[in-house]
Amino acid sequence: MAMTNNFTSWGRPFTDAKMDMYGGDITQRYQLGSEHLQQHSDKFADAVQKTQQPIVTGTSVIGLKYKDGIMLAADNLASYGSLARFKDIQRLHSVGSHTIIGAAGDMSDFQHVQHQLESLVIDEYCHDDGHALGPAQIYEYMSTLMYHRRSQLNPLWNAFVVGGVDPKSGEPTLAYVDLLGTTYSAPTIGTGYASMIAIPLLRRLVEDRKEPPNEEEALDIIKTCMKVLFYRDARSLNKFQVAKITKEGAEISPSMSVETEWGFAEGIRGYGGQTQ
Amino acid sequence: MLVIGIRVNDGVILAAQKLLDSKLLVPGTAKRILSADMHASAGLRADGKHLQTRAREECKNYRDNYMSPIPLKQLSDRLGSYLNAYTLYSSVRPFGISTVISSYDKNGPQLYAIEPSGLYWGYQATAVGKGKQLAQTELEKLKLNELSMRQAVFEAARIIHLVHDPTKDKGFELELSWIGKDSQFKHAHVPAQLYQEANEYGKSQAESGRMQE
């Protein structure tokens, strides 16, 4: 349903047979005990249904390459639909000594991936052969995992940004993998909303300059992006963490926030106090 | 082959005497102290590799089920049951090993030894294998609550060298590992520098001991 400010075209709340409050088709969703109510529209409707949608979700993650390594950021919110359900969730997770992953999408799937990676790192540690998993290896593992799960029609409902620096060569890795198994690597990365809103900013501020930004400049760029994301993304929170990974190791900051200005909101038609 | 474990306030030290079957063995290979998880380790002999695999599986199983590292007492119990099963059937032989395992968890440093029968006990310090009586006598003399991890590494090296009789026994390689404050609470072989110092110290102490006799 197209968004309109004319409430007469909104319909009655929750009663329109096939629509939920966002205009989604509820007959396409799994609801406990309502199997017999579902109106089957195709021959495969009785088939086994795997994950159809995420439940508790995190919004965008951003990442950029800077002079000494990689910087990532993600806010501390886990939403339950449009409800800001958990406001103290860490969506950046360190794996091994020189890698950090940032997760958007389903938070329970993210926790499962954290557990999988923990097992992997321990297995590797026990071999005690002088090799440790660097960001390139962890990214490879995750992309294989994500593609495998989507091929089983049972995806892990996430988009991940993997950032790290190889402890031996100093080679930085900044890469993306999502629930479809799509992978790419770039000097600036954003998932979801950030891929639309933050990427143009990041490209201008990071890629269009002669020298890569230093740590201080990189943090400023991250903050600018997080601010814009907070303004424009209704599922975001002005409380976020920043991770930096250099050859020396990985570090996740305490939560921080940015100054915001909402004075202009009054003047926006459909948002502020206008009645017409 | 002797393995000793020393538990001090800040951590646990394991030391093993690895007899050299061949002079052509590359130093530092065929280790007898192995990691079973980030937090646990085992001092092993003969069938040890197999038990290590089992210990890893138990650690992983516990983590998968409970999302936390396995307490050493539980690991000892599980490994004890496993060893014990091999004493119950005519179709299998018991394990020919005694095992020392250590960890550091939220309750502090832990040290257990498991017998081939499956019996296991917790210890302040213990020794298993050839020459364990002499080693145990030496361990009893230590003031375990006053030693730092570093000091304990030196004592462990000294005892391993002391028990070894170079005139009768085969040559050996000393192995030293620790888990606790000085190793960021992960099981690891001690750093090369410390290993060298401790090994030299152990050797010279043992020699001067023999001179006096």
Side-chain angles (χ1 to χ4, degrees):
Chain A
M1 190 200 287
M3 188 70 175
T4 167
N5 292 312
N6 181 4
F7 61 85
T8 56
S9 64
W10 288 0
R12 285 187 295 159
F14 298 104
T15 54
D16 284 11
K18 289 183 181 178
M19 302 277 196
D20 67 8
M21 58 183 169
Y22 308 114
D25 186 348
I26 54 172
T27 62
Q28 294 297 310
R29 293 197 190 157
Y30 177 77
Q31 278 177 316
L32 204 62
S34 68
E35 289 84 353
H36 62 288
L37 296 176
Q38 289 193 20
Q39 294 166 13
H40 302 315
S41 53
D42 65 64
K43 286 186 185 331
F44 297 103
D46 286 331
V48 173
Q49 306 252 308
K50 302 285 180 60
T51 311
Q52 300 277 308
Q53 56 175 344
I55 308 296
V56 176
T57 59
T59 186
S60 6
V61 181
I62 57 172
L64 60 84
K65 237 176 233 182
Y66 73 105
K67 195 162 124 286
D68 313 319
I70 304 292
M71 208 175 266
L72 302 177
D75 69 22
N76 292 115
L77 179 65
S79 306
Y80 179 65
S82 60
L83 175 72
R85 181 67 182 83
F86 303 104
K87 296 180 178 179
D88 196 19
I89 294 295
Q90 196 182 99
R91 297 197 289 121
L92 298 171
H93 173 70
S94 74
V95 183
S97 58
H98 284 75
T99 309
I100 298 221
I101 62 171
D106 192 275
M107 288 294 104
S108 62
D109 283 349
F110 173 44
Q111 288 175 349
H112 172 72
V113 170
Q114 287 179 35
H115 185 70
Q116 290 267 96
L117 290 171
E118 177 82 1
S119 276
L120 181 74
V121 169
I122 291 172
D123 255 21
E124 207 58 38
Y125 185 86
C126 288
H127 277 102
D128 195 19
D129 55 4
H131 297 287
L133 295 177
Q137 290 80 45
I138 286 162
Y139 176 59
E140 195 62 38
Y141 178 90
M142 287 181 71
S143 52
T144 310
L145 174 69
M146 296 298 274
Y147 178 69
H148 173 71
R149 290 293 296 264
R150 82 102 218 195
S151 300
Q152 292 187 321
L153 298 180
N154 190 20
L156 293 163
W157 215 284
N158 297 107
F160 292 113
V161 179
V162 181
V165 176
D166 189 284
K168 283 182 184 144
S169 68
E171 184 68 32
T173 298
L174 179 61
Y176 170 95
V177 58
D178 67 12
L179 72 165
L180 301 173
T182 318
T183 58
Y184 72 92
S185 168
T188 59
I189 283 183
T191 70
Y193 239 77
S195 70
M196 296 174 267
I197 290 174
I199 283 294
L201 283 168
L202 284 167
R203 289 201 178 142
R204 195 180 77 224
L205 297 170
V206 178
E207 297 178 43
D208 289 355
R209 59 197 320 189
K210 290 194 193 78
E211 299 276 302
N214 62 30
E215 189 183 326
E216 197 184 334
E217 289 165 333
L219 186 60
D220 277 346
I221 295 170
I222 290 273
K223 282 180 174 170
T224 306
C225 292
M226 293 309 280
K227 179 192 278 195
V228 175
L229 281 168
F230 177 58
Y231 277 138
R232 310 238 90 132
D233 176 1
R235 306 284 167 267
S236 67
L237 191 68
N238 188 11
K239 180 182 172 195
F240 58 90
Q241 286 171 289
V242 177
K244 64 168 190 187
I245 312 100
T246 63
K247 207 175 172 184
E248 276 64 56
E251 194 184 315
I252 300 175
S253 77
S255 294
M256 57 179 90
S257 58
V258 283
E259 288 271 315
T260 50
E261 164 60 60
W262 292 95
F264 65 87
E266 279 298 300
I268 295 177
R269 181 155 283 274
Y271 185 92
Q274 301 95 344
T275 49
Q276 280 292 306
Chain B
M1 304 222 255
L2 178 71
V3 174
I4 62 176
I6 302 177
R7 191 180 77 174
V8 295
N9 290 342
D10 290 337
V12 193
I13 280 77
L14 294 184
Q17 172 201 46
K18 182 178 79 192
L19 293 181
L20 297 174
D21 298 324
S22 160
K23 284 184 178 169
L24 299 178
L25 203 64
V26 176
T29 57
K31 286 199 171 75
R32 299 204 16 240
I33 301 180
L34 305 159
S35 296
D37 200 311
M38 286 294 194
H39 72 295
S41 62
L44 303 165
R45 325 190 307 133
D47 294 345
K49 264 286 193 197
H50 176 71
L51 193 67
Q52 181 209 19
T53 309
R54 181 71 189 190
R56 278 186 194 176
E57 283 165 12
E58 294 293 356
C59 291
K60 185 165 190 308
N61 173 273
Y62 190 95
R63 265 184 198 272
D64 287 347
N65 283 324
Y66 304 111
M67 298 282 179
S68 68
I70 187 169
L72 201 65
K73 193 173 178 180
Q74 300 244 11
L75 180 61
S76 305
D77 193 79
R78 290 181 179 203
L79 292 179
S81 300
Y82 188 70
L83 295 187
N84 179 252
Y86 279 74
T87 66
L88 301 175
Y89 303 94
S90 60
S91 55
V92 290
R93 64 168 177 80
F95 278 70
I97 53 173
S98 291
T99 308
V100 181
I101 61 176
S102 66
S103 83
Y104 196 104
D105 60 29
K106 59 181 190 292
N107 298 317
Q110 312 283 335
L111 177 68
Y112 281 80
I114 316 171
E115 298 174 7
S117 63
L119 281 172
Y120 64 91
W121 315 97
Y123 288 97
Q124 274 281 340
T126 188
V128 299
K130 191 182 174 200
K132 66 178 176 189
Q133 287 85 357
L134 179 53
Q136 268 160 3
T137 316
E138 288 296 318
L139 288 168
E140 281 165 19
K141 292 180 196 162
L142 299 175
K143 293 198 172 92
L144 294 166
N145 289 324
E146 292 167 22
L147 289 181
S148 68
M149 283 180 75
R150 206 183 143 79
Q151 286 167 327
V153 167
F154 280 82
E155 293 301 336
R158 181 180 64 79
I159 294 170
I160 293 277
H161 275 284
L162 187 72
V163 172
H164 185 258
D165 186 347
T167 56
K168 273 194 271 173
D169 300 332
K170 269 197 280 194
F172 78 97
E173 187 178 302
L174 175 67
E175 273 183 51
L176 291 167
S177 83
W178 59 3
I179 179 168
K181 209 166 93 185
D182 295 1
S183 71
Q184 287 78 49
F185 304 103
K186 285 181 187 175
H187 175 247
H189 287 260
V190 302
Q193 167 90 27
L194 174 59
Y195 174 84
Q196 210 170 350
E197 285 173 31
N199 197 22
E200 294 298 323
Y201 169 81
K203 211 182 280 181
S204 64
Q205 285 288 309
E207 265 164 32
S208 64
R210 271 189 285 277
M211 298 284 266
Q212 284 166 8
E213 278 168 23

